[in-house]
Amino acid sequence: AGNLAGISWTGKMPFEGQTIVLNTDIVLNPGITFGTNGPSNSSAFPFKRTSTQVGFGGIFDGRGHTISGLYIISNKGGSGSLFGVGGAATKRMNVVVRNLQIKNSLIENSAMGVASIFSGVAFNSHVLIENVYSEAILKSTAATVSTDAKLKTSIIGVNMGGFCGTVGGNLSIINSVYAGTFVTDTSKTPKKYVGGMVGNITNKTINSVGYSGNLTVESSAYYGTFNGSGVYIGKLSGDQTAGSTVTVNNSIFGGTMKSTASFTPGSGASTGASTYYIGRLIGLCTSNYT
């Protein structure tokens, strides 16, 4: 458990150019099961993440082993996942997570970014998720409200994805399956982006340089469950921003992806209207996407 916790820490990009090999299964919180309502026993020990943008910059080879009983509680963006953020924002890095299973685990965040593997893929980085199976429960308890012009209302700016919250750089998901459950607090304003594989695919300009998110999914599957509050919802991604590219080959999108959100539109919206974007693959694609 101590070695696993040491994969990510504050203020550094750990393991850049290095390889971590998992030589055995890791069982955390033995005897405790995790469900949508939390751990079966209050004695469950969580990894508590309170730093923003915890990152991973190397290669993690699970060699087919399983991590189970993982319990992560975060209150900062970019740290609601096993590896935090993949890569660095302005430095091109090659990051890999492969040959790994995650079972009987719960990851929750009260800020942006909830996912099994990466809360986000950093702009300009290249990330590969290969031969990974996850049935981790992903829970968002975010309370930070942001304004969405399309909906003319205030909604919680949250990115939830089976493998990755936000794709800002280049992400490839190969031979991998997400079969877990998304949990949202339906008593609060709807979550923003929820996707079976990734929350959203976006772009950004940093120091006058534009970076576009690019997602490739091959020979992979989504068999997860989402039945909560969401606005942009898709079994592949909740949203694809202008300028980004998505390629999908030989993949299956089963499972469920359903919104139970209910809210009153803000000023300027039609009376009684409630707009949601729900797609078999992607909830909302804006202009100039491929």
Side-chain angles (χ1 to χ4, degrees), residues 13 55-57 85-89 91 93 95 118 120-123 125-127:
M13 181 57 61
F56 178 73
V85 174
K91 179 180 181 181
M93 302 184 71
V95 184
F118 295 108
V121 168
F123 300 95
S125 288
H126 291 248
V127 175

Side-chain angles (χ1 to χ4, degrees), residues 214-269:
N214 296 289
L215 173 66
T216 298
V217 177
E218 293 185 2
S219 303
S220 296
Y222 166 77
Y223 291 117
T225 301
F226 172 76
N227 188 8
S229 60
V231 177
Y232 305 127
I233 305 168
K235 292 186 177 182
L236 173 65
S237 174
D239 170 80
Q240 182 180 0
T241 304
S244 60
T245 301
V246 173
T247 302
V248 181
N249 290 314
N250 303 319
S251 296
I252 297 172
F253 297 88
T256 61
M257 191 63 73
K258 186 184 297 184
S259 178
T260 59
S262 177
F263 67 93
T264 302
S267 175

Side-chain angles (χ1 to χ4, degrees), residues 4-290:
L4 188 62
I7 288 176
S8 300
W9 64 87
T10 306
K12 294 183 179 180
M13 181 57 61
F15 304 106
E16 179 181 355
Q18 299 181 16
T19 299
I20 298 172
V21 174
L22 185 59
N23 286 317
T24 185
D25 293 346
I26 295 180
V27 180
L28 307 163
N29 292 301
I32 296 177
T33 57
F34 292 89
T36 55
N37 293 322
S40 60
N41 191 304
S42 60
S43 65
F45 182 83
F47 289 137
K48 291 187 177 181
R49 294 238 176 100
T50 58
S51 59
T52 303
Q53 300 292 306
V54 176
F56 178 73
I59 297 172
F60 185 95
D61 188 346
R63 291 193 173 179
H65 290 293
T66 299
I67 296 174
S68 61
L70 179 67
Y71 186 23
I72 294 175
I73 298 177
S74 173
N75 62 9
K76 293 292 183 180
S79 57
S81 61
L82 177 57
F83 295 94
V85 174
T90 57
K91 179 180 181 181
R92 178 168 177 168
M93 302 184 71
N94 295 309
V95 184
V96 178
V97 174
R98 58 163 54 105
N99 306 326
L100 177 65
Q101 298 185 82
I102 302 176
K103 298 181 177 181
N104 185 37
S105 296
L106 172 62
I107 301 172
E108 62 178 86
N109 195 357
S110 59
M112 292 180 61
V114 190
S116 295
I117 306 300
F118 295 108
S119 303
V121 168
F123 300 95
N124 202 34
S125 288
H126 291 248
V127 175
L128 170 64
I129 297 173
E130 183 179 29
N131 300 328
V132 172
Y133 172 85
S134 171
E135 56 185 47
I137 297 168
L138 306 175
K139 183 176 183 179
S140 173
T141 58
T144 302
V145 176
S146 61
T147 299
D148 188 292
K150 295 184 182 68
L151 301 179
K152 298 182 176 63
T153 186
S154 293
I155 66 176
I156 299 174
V158 172
N159 308 313
M160 298 181 71
F163 291 114
C164 177
T166 297
V167 180
N170 298 282
L171 172 63
S172 295
I173 300 173
I174 312 294
N175 297 327
S176 296
V177 175
Y178 178 73
T181 301
F182 298 94
V183 179
T184 60
D185 185 348
T186 55
S187 68
K188 297 179 180 178
T189 315
K191 303 301 179 287
K192 194 169 186 180
Y193 303 121
V194 182
M197 294 284 187
V198 303
N200 73 320
I201 307 134
T202 187
N203 54 44
K204 188 174 184 180
T205 299
I206 302 175
N207 298 329
S208 301
V209 178
Y211 299 95
S212 296
N214 296 289
L215 173 66
T216 298
V217 177
E218 293 185 2
S219 303
S220 296
Y222 166 77
Y223 291 117
T225 301
F226 172 76
N227 188 8
S229 60
V231 177
Y232 305 127
I233 305 168
K235 292 186 177 182
L236 173 65
S237 174
D239 170 80
Q240 182 180 0
T241 304
S244 60
T245 301
V246 173
T247 302
V248 181
N249 290 314
N250 303 319
S251 296
I252 297 172
F253 297 88
T256 61
M257 191 63 73
K258 186 184 297 184
S259 178
T260 59
S262 177
F263 67 93
T264 302
S267 175
S270 300
T271 303
S274 56
T275 303
Y276 306 101
Y277 299 86
I278 303 175
R280 183 70 167 182
L281 289 179
I282 298 175
L284 174 68
C285 291
T286 53
S287 61
N288 300 319
Y289 63 85
T290 303

